[in-house]
Amino acid sequence: MLLWNCVHEILPVADTLSKYMESISRYCSRCSYIPETHLHLFRDCGDSSILWNFIFQRITVAKEVFLNSFFNLNWQQWMAYNLSLSRSWRMVFIVAVWHIWKARNRAVFELKMIKPFSVYNAFYVDYRENILMMQGKGAGNWLQKAPAWKPPAPSFLKLNIDGSWKEKDEAGGGGVFRSETGNWYIGFASKYNAITPLAAELYALREGLQMAVEYGVQKLEVETDAELLIKLLTSMEDYYHHELAPVIKDVACLMTRFSSFSITHLPRLFNKLAHCMGQYAISMALGHKVFLDPPPFTDVVYQTQLKQAKDSLKQMGESSSASQRREQVINLEIPPPPEEHPSITVTTEIMFGTIPTKVTTHLVSAKTASDAKKGQFSSDKE
């Protein structure tokens, strides 16, 4: 519907509305000094122009666009040109138009100005999800070929995370740790003050890694349905000016605390258990909850995936060595309490835009941590 209204140039932009209602200003709500026409709103406004530049710099398919035509055509020519290009570019174009329209409406009706890079983050997550569902492999084929949830390798735990976001004061995230057998180890749900969906996902990852470190997990597999998050973590040096750079740095430091660590993408269809935790978190008034047992709202999804995990183990066959390894992980089904070591707590307040966030770090002396690890290792031997 939005695209149809764009093509016919009948959206209620300020320049049009001001002709019928004198009380409405004809000027753009984001840049304030140029009339808000369709062309200005979606292409020429400073915020929109920055978004398109981000897209041209970061999206490979955008290379087919002739920039001289893109930035110099009139409205009807501009729409016709973009919709005449490849299907891949049309996908980029339509999703970008939708997010520009959403950002503009938040500026008009909620008086909230969204930074262009935050709009790009939301655009990219939405774009990748659409690509996953419409990548031209035939209806339904992507569901069959997508990797379902699988238990982690022997002696590993697997953490699935998901963030939920409506707006900066309605965001949360959650995660679930599971063992090699697919059994529930521990879960969590937390309320966040996140400025974007990516921020909620990143906070959930940081919290999950902090819990894993506190519980002494050494080998960890992480799965998330946010591809952009993995892109950030695999090229962190390119994002040192990113608005979430302090949180990215925290996550990078936490990842080094494991003897073996991996993070991979899992389609949302198979990340349902973490999604349940994230949705529950967004409904919380505030705070943080830990679940030692599966909560009722996850029961259907959890039991289904647990059965699939056990069926997968049966198909693989159970050798004696595999059984021994499994028993070692089953002992982790009841989480041990975090060990207490002498530590110094440092709380730092970091500003993400205009949003203050307190980051608490526990500094444990190297000698104490080393002694604790030696004691744990010797007890494991016994």
Side-chain angles (χ1 to χ4, degrees):
M1 182 61 73
L2 175 65
L3 187 64
W4 190 89
N5 288 335
C6 285
V7 170
H8 291 83
E9 207 171 353
I10 55 174
L11 283 172
V13 295
D15 189 59
T16 301
L17 291 176
S18 65
K19 297 176 182 177
Y20 302 98
M21 302 177 67
E22 295 182 358
S23 60
I24 295 180
S25 170
R26 64 192 294 255
Y27 293 102
C28 176
S29 58
R30 294 182 293 173
C31 62
S32 303
Y33 57 89
I34 297 178
E36 186 190 63
T37 63
H38 285 70
L39 192 60
H40 173 78
L41 167 60
F42 289 104
R43 189 191 70 186
D44 295 340
C45 181
D47 286 1
S48 301
S49 180
I50 292 172
L51 174 64
W52 289 117
N53 282 317
F54 281 144
I55 291 172
F56 289 131
Q57 292 169 10
R58 293 169 170 81
I59 305 296
T60 304
V61 70
K63 293 180 180 178
E64 70 177 84
V65 179
F66 185 44
L67 297 184
N68 187 50
S69 297
F70 186 89
F71 286 108
N72 290 287
L73 296 173
N74 63 37
W75 175 253
Q76 293 298 334
Q77 293 171 336
W78 190 65
M79 291 298 297
Y81 173 70
N82 285 286
L83 296 178
S84 68
L85 297 177
S86 69
R87 179 183 177 185
S88 298
W89 172 252
R90 292 200 300 272
M91 175 72 72
V92 174
F93 179 73
I94 292 169
V95 175
V97 165
W98 166 243
H99 282 278
I100 290 172
W101 180 244
K102 285 178 64 178
R104 176 265 185 189
N105 286 340
R106 292 197 67 181
V108 172
F109 299 111
E110 301 177 29
L111 302 179
K112 296 179 180 178
M113 299 296 292
I114 311 301
K115 293 181 179 180
F117 198 84
S118 296
V119 177
Y120 174 80
N121 286 343
F123 151 81
Y124 187 80
V125 171
D126 200 4
Y127 165 64
R128 294 305 304 176
E129 288 180 355
N130 279 275
I131 287 295
L132 181 65
M133 292 186 291
M134 304 175 67
Q135 51 187 327
K137 293 183 178 179
N141 287 347
W142 70 276
L143 294 175
Q144 299 169 9
K145 296 182 180 180
W149 187 89
K150 294 180 180 179
S155 76
F156 277 75
L157 284 182
K158 176 170 283 190
L159 167 63
N160 285 79
I161 60 157
D162 192 35
S164 296
W165 187 89
K166 288 184 179 179
E167 52 186 329
K168 69 178 183 179
D169 55 353
E170 286 191 66
V176 177
F177 291 87
R178 282 175 282 182
S179 70
E180 176 195 352
T181 59
N183 289 326
W184 185 283
Y185 178 72
I186 195 170
F188 67 92
S190 295
K191 192 77 174 179
Y192 301 132
N193 192 7
I195 55 177
T196 64
L198 177 63
E201 200 87 25
L202 194 59
Y203 292 158
L205 175 59
R206 181 176 65 178
E207 185 167 4
L209 296 183
Q210 287 172 337
M211 289 180 65
V213 169
E214 290 172 358
Y215 281 98
V217 177
Q218 292 299 311
K219 297 181 178 181
L220 184 66
E221 297 177 8
V222 179
E223 288 181 337
T224 172
D225 54 34
E227 281 190 291
L228 182 56
L229 177 60
I230 296 176
K231 181 181 177 183
L232 282 174
L233 297 177
T234 52
S235 54
M236 286 179 281
E237 65 279 2
D238 297 334
Y239 295 95
Y240 57 90
H241 287 313
H242 194 282
E243 58 192 345
L244 294 171
V247 189
I248 296 172
K249 185 177 179 181
D250 285 348
V251 170
C253 292
L254 287 167
M255 289 191 297
T256 64
R257 303 285 296 275
F258 303 94
S259 61
S260 184
F261 179 87
S262 67
I263 181 166
T264 56
H265 173 260
L266 184 73
R268 177 172 292 180
L269 177 67
F270 303 113
N271 199 35
K272 287 184 177 180
L273 193 56
H275 182 68
C276 289
M277 302 299 287
Q279 288 296 308
Y280 176 79
I282 205 172
S283 67
M284 293 164 52
L286 49 85
H288 165 77
K289 291 185 180 180
V290 174
F291 299 88
L292 300 181
D293 298 304
F297 59 85
T298 66
D299 190 59
V300 174
V301 175
Y302 172 62
Q303 292 300 333
T304 301
Q305 292 191 345
L306 182 60
K307 183 179 182 302
Q308 292 172 346
K310 291 182 176 179
D311 291 343
S312 176
L313 288 173
K314 287 180 181 179
Q315 292 175 2
M316 292 171 59
E318 298 188 4
S319 66
S320 59
S321 60
S323 298
Q324 291 173 0
R325 288 194 301 268
R326 192 172 305 111
E327 288 171 3
Q328 293 172 1
V329 180
I330 289 175
N331 292 332
L332 296 176
E333 294 303 329
I334 301 176
E339 295 184 13
E340 295 183 1
H341 304 303
S343 62
I344 301 174
T345 301
V346 179
T347 301
T348 306
E349 186 174 88
I350 300 174
M351 297 293 293
F352 299 114
T354 59
I355 303 171
T357 298
K358 290 186 177 180
V359 177
T360 302
T361 306
H362 298 280
L363 303 177
V364 181
S365 67
K367 184 179 184 304
T368 304
S370 175
D371 292 343
K373 287 185 177 179
K374 287 180 181 178
Q376 183 180 6
F377 180 75
S378 62
S379 64
D380 290 344
K381 275 190 171 182
E382 294 172 4

